[in-house]
Amino acid sequence: MIIINSEQAIEKMRIAGSLAADVLNMITAYVKKGISTEKLDEICHKYIISKGAIPAPLNYHGFPKSICTSVNNVVCHGIPNKKTLKNGDIINIDITVIKDGYHGDTSKMFIIGNASIKAKRICQVTQECLYIGIKKVKPGIHLGEIGKAIEQHAKKNNYSVVRDYCGHGIGLDFHAEPQVIHYNNNLIEKSPILEPGMIFTIEPMVNIGSYKVNTSKIDNWTVTTKDRSLSAQWEHTILVTEKGFEILTIRDEETI
Ligand code: MF3
Ligand code: CO
Ligand code: CO
């Protein structure tokens, strides 16, 4: 069952979403060569708590930290640690907050210093994939149209789309129905039809090489590309409106 949110719930999701966006804005000044991802986690944790919210990842199915930090060949669910960022790294920071019971979930890529053209390009194309997916959203379309558009754009750039992790419905629950797949399959006509009031994330993970991934057998969280190629991800929380979509986690720097 996909929840159709009331106007009151939507208002709370706007607040949670804008706080999650605000955390990404706040952390930007710190995302520089030499800082550890553990330090980024600590700064975000304190900031989220200071706003009367809760960092949703902390203790979520045993996740040990408050944010996810996924560097270079890490696809998602990277655990903040003592390792410091170095020149040329690319890092996804994924923020999920719970405010007044409701979740806001968003992530973006940061480029550390002078990165290779290759590294900058995977970040940019993946952001384009997210925007192309978002622009499909309106009442009456099949959910599967989003992934079809995303994969088309990734493939055009000779990249692959990760299949093992999806976007998700979000609200009082962190992860709810529907599953938002980011690739094309032959089940589009069988996928749900969008209605105003639905809220879900779109969060494509795109790899330079193969779409295949591994999960760490050491920490049971860190997802990496099987071929060690670079991976990028961008995420927004999206409301389906009468006219189309509203991005609940939009940042001022964005023009879409
Ligand atoms: N924020 C991630 C998502 O976009 C989920 C992280 S779950 C965690 O769905 F436990 F790893 F934090
Ligand atoms: Co998400
Ligand atoms: Co997220």
Side-chain angles (χ1 to χ4, degrees), residues 94 105 166 168 174-175 201 203 235:
D94 193 338
D105 189 6
C166 306
H168 48 92
F174 192 166
H175 294 107
T201 72
E203 49 181 298
E235 174 176 28

Side-chain angles (χ1 to χ4, degrees), residues 56 63 90 127 143 157 162 170 177 196 242 246:
F63 192 79
I90 58 170
Q127 186 180 35
L143 185 65
N157 286 281
V162 172
I170 183 166
E177 278 183 62
E242 299 286 342
E246 180 180 330

Side-chain angles (χ1 to χ4, degrees), residues 165-184:
Y165 297 89
C166 306
H168 48 92
I170 183 166
L172 288 168
D173 288 321
F174 192 166
H175 294 107
E177 278 183 62
Q179 278 199 29
V180 180
I181 63 169
H182 302 113
Y183 53 92
N184 188 21

Side-chain angles (χ1 to χ4, degrees), residues 67-255:
I67 66 172
C68 296
T69 51
S70 303
V71 178
N72 296 336
N73 62 311
V74 178
V75 172
C76 63
H77 302 171
I79 302 173
N81 59 28
K82 296 213 171 332
K83 220 172 143 186
T84 55
L85 296 175
K86 57 181 198 302
N87 187 46
D89 281 347
I90 58 170
I91 177 177
N92 173 278
I93 300 184
D94 193 338
I95 303 291
T96 313
V97 302
I98 312 172
K99 177 78 178 164
D100 205 4
Y102 287 84
H103 291 73
D105 189 6
T106 186
S107 80
K108 65 170 280 189
M109 298 302 298
F110 295 87
I111 294 164
I112 309 303
N114 313 304
S116 65
I117 289 172
K118 189 174 137 177
K120 288 191 281 199
R121 194 166 162 271
I122 183 81
C123 294
Q124 191 193 319
V125 170
T126 306
Q127 186 180 35
E128 289 163 7
C129 285
L130 170 62
Y131 289 168
I132 285 165
I134 291 172
K135 285 179 179 160
K136 286 280 158 193
V137 173
K138 63 175 180 192
I141 71 145
H142 284 280
L143 185 65
E145 294 292 342
I146 297 169
K148 182 180 172 185
I150 288 171
E151 188 173 56
Q152 254 172 20
H153 189 63
K155 276 196 166 158
K156 209 166 70 189
N157 286 281
N158 280 315
Y159 295 149
S160 68
V161 176
V162 172
R163 294 172 167 251
D164 292 6
Y165 297 89
C166 306
H168 48 92
I170 183 166
L172 288 168
D173 288 321
F174 192 166
H175 294 107
E177 278 183 62
Q179 278 199 29
V180 180
I181 63 169
H182 302 113
Y183 53 92
N184 188 21
N185 66 11
N186 47 22
L187 299 171
I188 293 182
E189 275 72 46
K190 296 217 160 60
S191 69
I193 291 176
L194 300 189
E195 292 174 41
M198 290 179 174
I199 300 178
F200 50 80
T201 72
I202 305 178
E203 49 181 298
M205 284 143 271
V206 176
N207 301 346
I208 288 185
S210 154
Y211 65 85
K212 290 186 181 156
V213 299
N214 280 327
T215 304
S216 165
K217 295 208 167 59
I218 297 163
D219 64 33
N220 287 129
W221 280 105
T222 310
V223 178
T224 53
T225 53
K226 215 166 210 163
D227 60 11
R228 299 248 141 206
S229 68
L230 290 177
S231 184
Q233 178 178 30
W234 296 73
E235 174 176 28
H236 272 312
T237 299
I238 307 296
L239 165 69
V240 184
T241 63
E242 299 286 342
K243 285 198 176 133
F245 61 85
E246 180 180 330
I247 304 174
L248 301 180
T249 46
I250 192 115
R251 299 179 304 281
D252 282 342
E253 68 183 358
E254 294 180 283
T255 46

